[in-house]
Amino acid sequence: MKSIVPLFAALAIAFAPTGQAQAGAKDPQVQTKAAKAAKAKAAKAKSKKDKAGKRVSARSSKVLKAAPAAAMIDYDGEHHNFLEWQAVREFMDEMATQHGFERAYLESLFGQARFIDSAVQLVKPAPPGKPKNWQAYRDRFIEPIRIAAGVRFWNENAETLARAEAAYGVPAEIIVGIIGVETIYGRDTGKFRVLDTLATLAFAYPETPNRAARMAFFRSELANTLVFAREHKVEPFSLLGSFAGAVGMPQFMPGNILKYGVDFNKDGQIDLRQSSDDAIGSVANFLIQHGWNPEHRNSPVTPADVSPNHAWEPLLERGLKATLRPEELRAAGVTTATTLSAERLYGLVDLQNGAEATEYWVADDNFFAITKYNRSYFYAMSVIELGRAVRASRGG
């Protein structure tokens, strides 16, 4: 869905009237004049924004919800004339032809969009660095603050979590683990305007080997954002999210909101930003749609030992899916303390620990369903362990 380990940049900058020079700061008359001047300036700015908002609304065929106050916070983005870019003009043509958007409305939106250089920098591949270290990664997520927040979230949403588990067969601790790893239960959902970041990455993705594919992906997500905003009567610039455009408590990309988002509180809206009910139901629905098997109620992973002959190494190249029968694992020198079901398939997972010994685990299809949320063994394991830690902390 995010398709990614959570990484956010809070780039909000609050502006306030500066008043007069300090030379007259102690003079009451100067203070009064300064206050009046600041008030007049603020009123003028507000009037200008209100008029601009009315023009945009008038051009849209839908009535949009007002943007929340957070959306009005400025941040480090440059005003670019996206309308001059040929690719943007072609995109607007497609949205008008394929989705029925008014061209004037689209021009108004892209005329306000900002280029976010920090998003471009953050999507660049990380330079070669230290070896992968599962224990260091784990310590970022299985820690007291996140566990305590998870206990509060579970207690406050116990009924909804139980309802989601009954409806989808996804245990509460897995849902709690995902939302905790993604955003610390809604605390860190990102402060980028999604329309800005997606426009930037759709048309100005950095030079990388997979640039064309990634630009196509973000262009699709930009289209999904506009469709979602129209369908749910949301002002597009009010959608805030990660540097890559992920939204809300569970950090769904806009396309995944359209495909897997659930109105779990039945209020007529899918709101992953403010509704914990919708976030919980949507996470459960995503997992079940990506291979979660409700009948497999034991742990998705079990510790494994591997033989010194390394016959098991080719099994690590099977990808993010369960493809191995228990007898295949045993024949390659992989053993577990618990008996694996002969009726199920598994995969071999390695969790590297830098200079320390690598951990090996045998995982079932439910573990690999979690990797569809973020394509990482570390991510899936941290979700499982955080959920367990929260459950244990609240007394089971």
Side-chain angles (χ1 to χ4, degrees):
M1 220 72 355
K2 6 262 269 312
S3 302
I4 43 292
V5 173
L7 177 61
F8 306 117
L11 302 176
I13 302 174
F15 289 93
T18 58
Q20 299 294 317
Q22 290 185 349
K26 295 181 180 179
D27 186 336
Q29 288 187 330
V30 172
Q31 286 183 319
T32 302
K33 290 180 181 179
K36 288 181 178 180
K39 186 174 181 181
K41 184 177 180 181
K44 184 177 180 180
K46 183 178 184 301
S47 175
K48 185 177 180 181
K49 287 183 179 178
D50 289 344
K51 289 178 181 178
K54 290 178 181 178
R55 288 197 296 271
V56 172
S57 181
R59 288 174 175 171
S60 175
S61 58
K62 297 288 184 178
V63 177
L64 303 178
K65 288 181 180 179
M72 303 307 294
I73 296 175
D74 201 356
Y75 63 96
D76 186 17
E78 296 180 31
H79 282 290
H80 260 254
N81 192 350
F82 280 99
L83 298 175
E84 293 182 347
W85 297 9
Q86 178 63 28
V88 174
R89 293 198 296 271
E90 292 172 356
F91 175 80
M92 290 191 294
D93 289 341
E94 292 173 8
M95 295 304 294
T97 302
Q98 298 176 15
H99 298 283
F101 281 89
E102 294 180 5
R103 180 65 183 237
Y105 173 63
L106 295 174
E107 289 178 355
S108 175
L109 287 180
F110 284 100
Q112 300 174 65
R114 293 184 176 190
F115 181 88
I116 310 299
D117 183 66
S118 53
V120 175
Q121 301 307 318
L122 287 166
V123 297
K124 290 181 178 178
K130 297 179 181 179
K132 293 181 179 179
N133 191 316
W134 156 239
Q135 288 301 325
Y137 182 97
R138 179 190 184 280
D139 290 345
R140 291 168 49 198
F141 298 102
I142 302 25
E143 48 81 28
I145 292 176
R146 208 175 295 252
I147 293 170
V151 170
R152 287 193 298 273
F153 181 84
W154 195 327
N155 289 341
E156 292 169 359
N157 297 281
E159 182 178 342
T160 303
L161 287 162
R163 185 160 58 90
E165 186 167 345
Y168 295 100
V170 179
E173 67 186 74
I174 297 297
I175 300 171
V176 168
I178 285 179
I179 297 176
V181 168
E182 290 292 338
T183 62
I184 316 182
Y185 309 100
R187 192 188 78 177
D188 298 331
T189 58
K191 293 187 180 297
F192 290 91
R193 295 196 309 187
V194 169
L195 204 65
D196 291 340
T197 59
L198 291 179
T200 299
L201 297 176
F203 304 114
Y205 198 85
E207 292 293 340
T208 59
N210 63 346
R211 183 173 189 262
R214 298 306 290 164
M215 287 180 72
F217 168 76
F218 285 112
R219 183 168 172 153
S220 173
E221 290 299 339
L222 181 59
N224 290 329
T225 300
L226 295 175
V227 171
F228 171 79
R230 183 176 65 181
E231 289 184 359
H232 293 272
K233 299 179 174 62
V234 175
E235 205 286 315
F237 283 114
S238 75
L239 288 169
L240 304 182
S242 74
F243 71 87
V247 175
M249 283 183 267
Q251 291 290 276
F252 272 26
M253 292 300 288
N256 282 337
I257 301 177
L258 289 171
K259 284 189 253 185
Y260 308 114
V262 174
D263 176 18
F264 209 49
N265 60 6
K266 305 298 182 184
D267 67 350
Q269 293 289 329
I270 297 173
D271 183 3
L272 304 187
R273 297 177 291 170
Q274 302 295 329
S275 171
S276 56
D277 286 7
D278 290 359
I280 289 167
S282 298
V283 168
N285 185 48
F286 180 95
L287 290 176
I288 205 74
Q289 297 295 332
H290 285 83
W292 185 276
N293 191 328
E295 296 184 5
H296 299 169
R297 297 189 175 276
N298 54 333
S299 173
V301 290
T302 187
D305 292 315
V306 295
S307 66
N309 63 13
H310 295 276
W312 42 268
E313 284 187 345
L315 304 185
L316 295 171
E317 308 302 323
R318 294 293 190 97
L320 300 178
K321 55 186 177 181
T323 61
L324 299 165
R325 298 186 302 277
E327 56 266 31
E328 292 179 276
L329 289 163
R330 288 193 295 270
V334 180
T335 58
T336 58
T338 57
T339 302
L340 302 178
S341 171
E343 306 301 319
R344 291 161 61 180
L345 296 175
Y346 299 89
L348 182 62
V349 170
D350 61 331
L351 301 180
Q352 299 171 38
N353 277 312
E356 303 299 321
T358 297
E359 296 178 25
Y360 294 95
W361 298 73
V362 168
D364 67 11
D365 46 7
N366 287 347
F367 177 89
F368 291 106
I370 300 173
T371 67
K372 303 305 186 293
Y373 209 104
N374 185 311
R375 299 176 63 83
S376 162
Y377 289 164
F378 283 12
Y379 176 86
M381 201 69 175
S382 66
V383 164
I384 293 168
E385 294 212 6
L386 178 59
R388 287 174 179 170
V390 173
R391 182 188 62 188
S393 185
R394 70 186 297 266

